[in-house]
Amino acid sequence: MDTREKLVATAASLFQKEGVRATGLAQILTVSGTPKGSLYYYFPNGKAQLIEAAITYAGQHILEHVQRDLDRYKAPDAALAGQLESMATEMQEKGHLGGNSISLIALETGDDPELQAACSAVFTQLETLYIKKLTSAGIPPDRAQPLGQFIQASIEGAIILAATKDNPDLLRQTADQLTRLIKLALAA
Amino acid sequence: MDTREKLVATAASLFQKEGVRATGLAQILTVSGTPKGSLYYYFPNGKAQLIEAAITYAGQHILEHVQRDLDRYKAPDAALAGQLESMATEMQEKGHLGGNSISLIALETGDDPELQAACSAVFTQLETLYIKKLTSAGIPPDRAQPLGQFIQASIEGAIILAATKDNPDLLRQTADQLTRLIKLALAA
């Protein structure tokens, strides 16, 4: 990992878990073990530029993670149950879900159109993974599109609830409900 | 509205929309038009104490709002569609959804057990409203309980997506998907 990637990966992890306001640039330098000058060298426009790079980096990481989980089972309902089960297990092992969502960053940057666009792009890419999984099982696009969007939104909400209530079972219960919707769409 | 309520109402509104980190105590005093001493008088233990009061206050406001929307239609699917339609309309009129969710506060205070407990309490009260609406339509409690939790979680997620993507239709689409689940539960 080169210096720029070290900076961005550290920032992404801290921003996702603690938030962009709570994470100072000095903390990112300390945790990443990079010299002070590197921040200004790679991100001459300051923190907003680093936040944007961190959103894209975090998004790529989440997308790869979700894609891997979805690829494990052919049927979309089994694949989603597997994804949410692996998230619940991760929460039980690590004690947090910080790496799975950019919701905190999205909510904190509501007043910055460029950062909101970066977050929207990640959300849209995630939806697209779900939509593709649904259409690959024969669900027509006009049904798969809103369902894929809903799957993405309800997983974001489930992550918040599971984290706040410290209850990984809420992720598993989300899979149960989404399974019903997927079966309905498959039978239609 | 007395001075304490003015402080808490102002804090709640700013915390929900901008976040607890971005909102300074000086800003709360200015916006609420209250004297500096009142903050220390009513909240001697500082900002965390004010945040806890604001979570409870915001929660009460959201609960009353949701209850009013749910009461408008007897059928739970129609009631939820009405609630999400009124939220979408509010977003179109005001340009934001800040008053409808404490997700940002919940995510920002992940490291504070007392504030997480206050947020959990609000989330649980909201779930309870949905569960009651479902059971009042004849859905058995063992089915209504996880569905009510899921409704609450998916609405939190939909609020984040609608806000980030600046697209109120995502709230309306959420109602479509939840309607399918409610109809399934009613037919079971």
Side-chain angles (χ1 to χ4, degrees), chain A residues 21-22 103 106 116 120 124 127 143 147 149-150 152-154 157 160-161 164-165 170 173 177 180-181, chain B residues 21-22 103 106 116 119-120 124 127 143 147 149-150 152-154 157 160-161 164-165 170 173 177 180-181:
Chain A
R21 303 271 185 181
S103 280
Q116 291 287 281
S120 287
T124 302
E127 284 163 29
R143 182 90 184 239
L147 181 52
Q149 283 191 322
F150 179 76
Q152 207 270 313
S154 61
I160 295 173
L161 269 287
T164 307
K165 298 196 160 202
L170 296 174
Q173 286 175 26
Q177 303 296 330
R180 293 177 202 268
L181 284 173
Chain B
R21 304 271 185 180
S103 280
Q116 290 288 282
C119 292
S120 287
T124 302
E127 283 163 29
R143 183 92 186 238
L147 181 52
Q149 283 192 323
F150 179 76
Q152 207 270 313
S154 61
I160 294 172
L161 269 286
T164 306
K165 297 195 160 203
L170 295 175
Q173 286 174 24
Q177 302 295 330
R180 294 177 201 268
L181 283 173

Side-chain angles (χ1 to χ4, degrees), chain A residues 122-139:
Chain A
V122 171
F123 289 146
T124 302
Q125 287 170 301
L126 273 165
E127 284 163 29
T128 305
L129 292 192
Y130 296 121
I131 295 167
K132 278 189 184 159
K133 189 75 189 177
L134 297 169
T135 52
S136 77
I139 296 171

Side-chain angles (χ1 to χ4, degrees), chain B residues 75-134:
Chain B
D77 51 338
L80 262 167
Q83 182 201 337
L84 285 153
E85 178 58 43
S86 94
M87 225 185 270
T89 307
E90 184 189 330
M91 186 184 163
Q92 282 165 324
E93 283 167 4
K94 288 192 190 170
H96 67 87
L97 278 165
N100 293 282
S101 167
I102 58 158
S103 280
L104 174 52
I105 303 175
L107 287 167
E108 278 188 301
T109 59
D111 57 352
D112 187 315
E114 279 184 43
L115 297 179
Q116 290 288 282
C119 292
S120 287
V122 171
F123 289 146
T124 302
Q125 287 170 302
L126 274 164
E127 283 163 29
T128 305
L129 291 191
Y130 297 120
I131 294 167
K132 279 189 184 159
K133 190 74 190 177
L134 296 169

Side-chain angles (χ1 to χ4, degrees), chain A residues 80-102:
Chain A
L80 262 168
Q83 182 202 337
L84 285 153
E85 178 58 42
S86 92
M87 225 186 269
T89 308
E90 183 189 332
M91 186 184 164
Q92 282 165 324
E93 284 167 3
K94 288 192 191 170
H96 68 86
L97 278 165
N100 293 282
S101 166
I102 58 158

